[in-house]
Each structure stands twice: as structure tokens, then as C-alpha cells.
């Protein structure tokens, strides 16, 4: 149910807000990858979750651009 709530929240945002979320998600992914490379990351599943969130945001941006 948590992912559905997140998706509903994203759908209610404008393209500009989605672009801001996309930038912050990409920064978070970079930081997670850096932590993983230095063996500081405890929850490696978070990388997959952030990657999927980035894909969802990009999909919504493409839909709203049409």
C-alpha cells in the first residue's frame, strides 16, 4: 500500500515538482552507490527502491509531456 500512496502523491505533482524530485532521487542514488562501494551501506535494497522510484518519476514526466 505504501508504493500506491507514493505513486498517487507523484501523480498529483506538476512537471516542475517531478523534475525536482528526480534530481533529488538521482543524488540519493549516487550517495547510496558511494556508501555501498565503501562498505558503509547496511540496507542494499534501498538502491533498488530508489532506482524504481526514479523510473516511476520519469514515466510520469513522459506521460505529462504528451
Amino acid at each position: 500500500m505504501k508504493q500506491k500512496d507514493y505513486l498517487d502523491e507523484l501523480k498529483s505533482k506538476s512537471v516542475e515538482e517531478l523534475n525536482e524530485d528526480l534530481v533529488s532521487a538521482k543524488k540519493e542514488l549516487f550517495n547510496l552507490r558511494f556508501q555501498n562501494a565503501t562498505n558503509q551501506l547496511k540496507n542494499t535494497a534501498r538502491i533498488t527502491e530508489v532506482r524504481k522510484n526514479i523510473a516511476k518519476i520519469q514515466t510520469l514526466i513522459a506521460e505529462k509531456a504528451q
Side-chain angles (χ1 to χ4, degrees):
M1 202 62 174
K2 182 180 175 186
Q3 289 296 329
K4 182 166 177 18
D5 294 339
Y6 179 70
L7 192 57
D8 290 340
E9 177 187 332
L10 288 178
K11 286 182 180 180
S12 67
K13 293 185 177 186
S14 68
V15 175
E16 294 80 20
E17 291 172 325
L18 288 172
N19 281 325
E20 290 173 6
D21 287 348
L22 182 61
V23 169
S24 68
K26 285 185 176 183
K27 285 181 183 178
E28 181 180 0
L29 182 60
F30 174 79
N31 288 332
L32 288 171
R33 285 180 174 160
F34 190 85
Q35 289 175 2
N36 193 34
T38 59
N39 292 323
Q40 295 176 346
L41 187 61
K42 300 285 188 251
N43 184 8
T44 56
R46 182 74 181 132
I47 293 174
T48 306
E49 184 180 335
V50 172
R51 286 180 60 225
K52 289 182 179 182
N53 288 342
I54 289 172
K56 289 174 188 173
I57 294 169
Q58 288 176 333
T59 302
L60 286 173
I61 290 172
E63 286 177 1
K64 291 186 180 213
Q66 294 178 355

